[in-house]
Amino acid sequence: MSDDRGTDDDDGDGARTFRFETRSIHAGQEPDDETGALMTPIFANSTYEQDGPGDHRGYEYSRTGNPTRDDLEANLASLEGAEYGRCFSSGMGSINTVCNLLESGDHVVTGNDVYGGTHRIFTQVYEQYEIEFTFVDMTDLEAIDAAFQDNTELLWLETPTNPLLSIVDIEGAADIAHEHDAICAIDNTFATPYLQRPLELGADVVSHSLTKYLGGHSDVVGGALLTNDPDLDERFGFYQNSVGATPGPFDAFLVLRGTKTLPVRMDRHCENARAIAQWLDEHPDVDRVYYPGLESHPGHEIAARQMDDFGGMLSFELDGTLEQASDVVSNTEVFTLAESLGGVESLIEQPAPMTHAAIPREERIAAGLTDSLIRVSVGIEHVDDLIGDLEQAIEGALE
Ligand SMILES: *Cc1c(COP(=O)(O)O)cnc(C)c1O
């Protein structure tokens, strides 16, 4: 595993560079000048005193700027190796902000297995403004290239994807976008900057749902955009203020608290997921395991190249019916039956009747989302308890 995981770029000013684990705790945060308070305070105010009309100390109104949010933006930018960061009230708030860059008549190339909310905002919100979307298999670089048109302005991708953990070659995809003068934006929610830093691989924009691993405790909803492009950042700031999907200071504080432990949490998520994937892979009642850390996974080699580890998400196909798979996800004691992911606690869900229920059955199965597919967000509990729980749930369901 690399030791220089996104080490801060030394831009010649002699500043010391710190490693990811150090920046996750300190970047963007200084003890309070006046009181020495170690943690960034929750600046719970809407407005700020001005010393004279227009003569303010950097803050006028909290939609436009808030010190708690500023610290979080600086922290996240440091972790992604970005110059600039902007936070939003949800991951969808950040995705919407990227869509705000588009105009009627523009075209977007994106994955046929993007996050459901992303598919929904593209087709049910932005198509009505005459923005056109082409959904392709992003694991196929030739298919991406072939989908570009003269009016393509944006390539939007995710890797690893949900729920089959497909891997997209970020460098290859970004090169294609740039050959066509389009922006390459990547939803890095599943990997987090601890495991994958798309800006280093050529992406222009990274989007996050802070709700997942960055918050890490299933207690906050948030989003962020990171970039090295000052013009893009300025536009994101304009939309942040104009559209108003900004996070409150309490939410920003919670995510700042979360990112401090991101490295240790992610190490355990990855370690547990790897052990569970290997155990499932040998289980006689499991047909197939989707985990990029397994050598049998079709994206394993690319993942090994562009990620520092393989993450905490995995899916598997039970050798059984939809009902039996429903019994498995209903019979666990440690895993909670719930949507979402990325918290310290393990979650389990069945895409067919839950997260992917909106897709017609035949289309869903053709895409590899079989009736008995089960998705797991592996938490950081003791791995033996997690494996034992899956074992009893599978046994009980297939009895
Ligand atoms: C959850 C999620 C989102 C949406 O984020 P919210 O914070 O729920 O708005 C976007 N992309 C991915 C990959 C997600 O998992």
Side-chain angles (χ1 to χ4, degrees):
M1 206 162 294
S2 74
D3 183 40
D4 62 344
R5 189 182 256 122
T7 299
D8 243 351
D9 191 21
D10 188 343
D11 47 16
D13 61 1
R16 285 183 61 195
T17 58
F18 294 106
R19 289 172 183 77
F20 192 99
E21 292 79 353
T22 308
R23 285 180 286 124
S24 69
I25 294 169
H26 296 287
Q29 298 153 84
E30 291 287 343
D32 183 50
D33 274 346
E34 225 165 277
T35 61
L38 208 59
M39 294 302 138
T40 296
I42 300 168
F43 284 88
N45 43 275
S46 58
T47 191
Y48 305 82
E49 181 192 30
Q50 305 206 1
D51 297 325
D55 180 12
H56 56 77
R57 291 162 244 172
Y59 297 98
E60 296 157 274
Y61 189 62
S62 267
R63 168 161 38 73
T64 324
N66 176 283
T68 315
R69 189 174 97 204
D70 279 1
D71 281 11
L72 175 61
E73 289 175 343
N75 181 257
L76 294 172
S78 171
L79 298 185
E80 276 293 352
E83 288 287 326
Y84 311 101
R86 300 279 179 180
C87 287
F88 298 87
S89 52
S90 68
M92 290 318 302
S94 37
I95 294 168
N96 180 60
T97 303
V98 175
C99 291
N100 286 159
L101 298 172
L102 301 165
E103 292 172 9
S104 293
D106 285 349
H107 174 248
V108 178
V109 176
T110 188
N112 56 11
D113 55 357
V114 284
Y115 175 70
T118 305
H119 187 272
R120 181 174 56 206
I121 196 173
F122 286 169
T123 56
Q124 294 185 46
V125 179
Y126 281 93
E127 271 183 358
Q128 67 177 326
Y129 301 117
E130 284 164 34
I131 293 162
E132 199 191 341
F133 296 85
T134 301
F135 298 91
V136 299
D137 174 3
M138 285 280 170
T139 63
D140 180 353
L141 291 180
E142 281 171 27
I144 298 179
D145 191 47
F148 272 76
Q149 305 175 5
D150 290 344
N151 57 342
T152 307
E153 296 293 333
L154 174 68
L155 174 65
W156 178 276
L157 61 94
E158 260 170 51
T159 180
T161 66
N162 176 29
L164 297 183
L165 290 305
S166 296
I167 301 294
V168 181
D169 178 344
I170 297 174
E171 209 163 7
D175 281 350
I176 292 169
H178 296 150
E179 276 163 27
H180 294 275
D181 293 323
I183 291 170
C184 176
I186 300 195
D187 185 332
N188 201 28
T189 300
F190 268 42
T192 83
Y194 184 64
L195 303 182
Q196 172 172 283
R197 287 161 307 282
L199 298 178
E200 289 172 4
L201 299 167
D204 304 295
V205 178
V206 165
S207 174
H208 278 290
S209 168
L210 304 176
T211 316
K212 316 296 165 54
Y213 290 106
L214 288 162
H217 296 75
S218 306
D219 55 6
V220 63
V221 172
L225 293 177
L226 298 311
T227 183
N228 284 320
D229 182 326
D231 297 329
L232 282 176
D233 177 65
E234 205 185 311
R235 291 181 72 185
F236 294 155
F238 173 79
Y239 293 123
Q240 206 178 27
N241 191 38
S242 304
V243 178
T246 51
F250 292 93
D251 292 352
F253 172 83
L254 281 174
V255 182
L256 268 175
R257 201 174 196 272
T259 57
K260 286 182 194 294
T261 55
L262 179 71
V264 288
R265 283 187 287 111
M266 289 314 292
D267 281 345
R268 181 62 72 83
H269 282 296
C270 293
E271 187 186 316
N272 283 358
R274 186 177 1 261
I276 292 172
Q278 279 162 358
W279 177 79
L280 286 168
D281 204 32
E282 285 163 18
H283 197 291
D285 299 317
V286 171
D287 278 343
R288 188 164 176 184
V289 182
Y290 295 90
Y291 184 64
L294 293 177
E295 275 172 33
S296 57
H297 188 284
H300 175 71
E301 266 176 48
I302 298 171
R305 202 167 66 221
Q306 70 188 16
M307 300 176 76
D308 289 313
D309 205 339
F310 302 100
M313 296 298 299
L314 62 88
S315 293
F316 65 97
E317 241 169 57
L318 187 74
D319 180 11
T321 62
L322 185 136
E323 290 71 24
Q324 284 170 320
S326 295
D327 285 346
V328 171
V329 301
S330 308
N331 289 346
T332 51
E333 285 170 17
V334 184
F335 287 84
T336 302
L337 174 58
E339 297 183 3
S340 196
L341 60 114
V344 291
E345 60 287 300
S346 292
L347 304 181
I348 193 162
E349 71 113 358
Q350 189 179 9
M354 293 175 67
T355 45
H356 293 69
I359 310 175
R361 183 166 184 269
E362 274 178 26
E363 205 182 303
R364 171 167 60 68
I365 288 174
L369 308 181
T370 56
D371 287 340
S372 68
L373 188 74
I374 292 172
R375 187 191 79 174
V376 172
S377 172
V378 179
I380 64 173
E381 300 95 338
H382 197 290
V383 69
D384 293 347
D385 290 334
L386 296 178
I387 289 176
D389 194 28
L390 287 175
E391 187 162 33
Q392 66 80 21
I394 292 173
E395 229 170 71
L398 296 179
E399 215 155 60

